[in-house]
Amino acid sequence: MRRTGDLKLIQELNRSIILDMIRKDGPLSRSEIAKRSNLSPTTVTTAVNDLIQDRLVSERGTGVSNGGRKPILLQFSPDNHYIIGISISNSKITIAEMNLEARIRCKEVYSTRGHTGEHVISYLLELIEYFINIINKPFGLLSRK
């Protein structure tokens, strides 16, 4: 089913446009984002507040004023959320934790131990659980990159 004109969809799209703009061109002020994106200042402020609440964006100092108050600059925060990437080959399984800019925070390489088919999937699930438990412990045993 195609969603058109749905308010939530429009808000998600605006938020995505704003996040991408901050990620690529930041730090930027809210007014600069509004000018570049042709979105209203209210729309930008609402979306930015959501992005700050989700810890995807943070306020980073002030910019130069063209009269009036100095603008607050917004910057992408790639280190507040992490993703896990997995690579499987015939002989090894590599699992890495990365920030939102794909910078590796930690990485481990495991042997496939000759597992194939469904056995490699259940083995992989065990490795993922082990990896997550280790990275969530203070001073984990994994090699921090």
Side-chain angles (χ1 to χ4, degrees):
M1 179 177 181
R2 189 172 165 201
R3 294 177 9 176
T4 57
D6 183 320
L7 178 61
K8 286 286 186 196
L9 175 62
I10 293 168
Q11 289 172 339
E12 289 172 21
L13 290 172
N14 288 339
R15 187 178 135 145
S16 177
I17 289 166
I18 292 167
L19 178 61
D20 197 47
M21 189 179 296
I22 294 169
R23 184 183 64 79
K24 288 179 180 174
D25 302 328
L28 294 170
S29 68
R30 287 169 179 82
S31 62
E32 181 66 22
I33 294 167
K35 287 176 193 167
R36 287 187 186 192
S37 65
N38 292 321
L39 294 170
S40 74
T42 303
T43 298
V44 170
T45 297
T46 301
V48 165
N49 288 344
D50 289 345
L51 292 169
I52 289 172
Q53 183 177 338
D54 291 343
R55 297 178 31 215
L56 291 167
V57 167
S58 59
E59 294 179 337
R60 297 285 184 208
T62 56
V64 177
S65 173
N66 294 329
R69 331 183 241 184
K70 291 184 178 183
I72 296 171
L73 299 178
L74 303 161
Q75 186 171 332
F76 180 56
S77 301
D79 294 318
N80 287 330
H81 298 279
Y82 291 89
I83 57 176
I84 293 192
I86 300 167
S87 172
I88 303 172
S89 70
N90 289 335
S91 61
K92 66 182 178 180
I93 297 172
T94 304
I95 304 176
E97 179 188 34
M98 298 169 281
N99 75 1
L100 296 181
E101 291 179 329
R103 273 184 280 164
I104 295 173
R105 184 172 172 203
C106 59
K107 175 172 95 172
E108 286 293 303
V109 179
Y110 305 94
S111 167
T112 59
R113 295 185 178 172
H115 292 295
T116 59
E118 290 185 25
H119 296 287
V120 79
I121 293 171
S122 52
Y123 178 57
L124 176 61
L125 293 173
E126 289 175 27
L127 290 177
I128 292 169
E129 185 176 345
Y130 173 77
F131 184 83
I132 290 171
N133 286 333
I134 295 299
I135 62 175
N136 286 328
K137 290 182 181 178
F139 307 106
L141 302 174
L142 296 177
S143 52
R144 298 282 173 177
K145 303 280 181 193

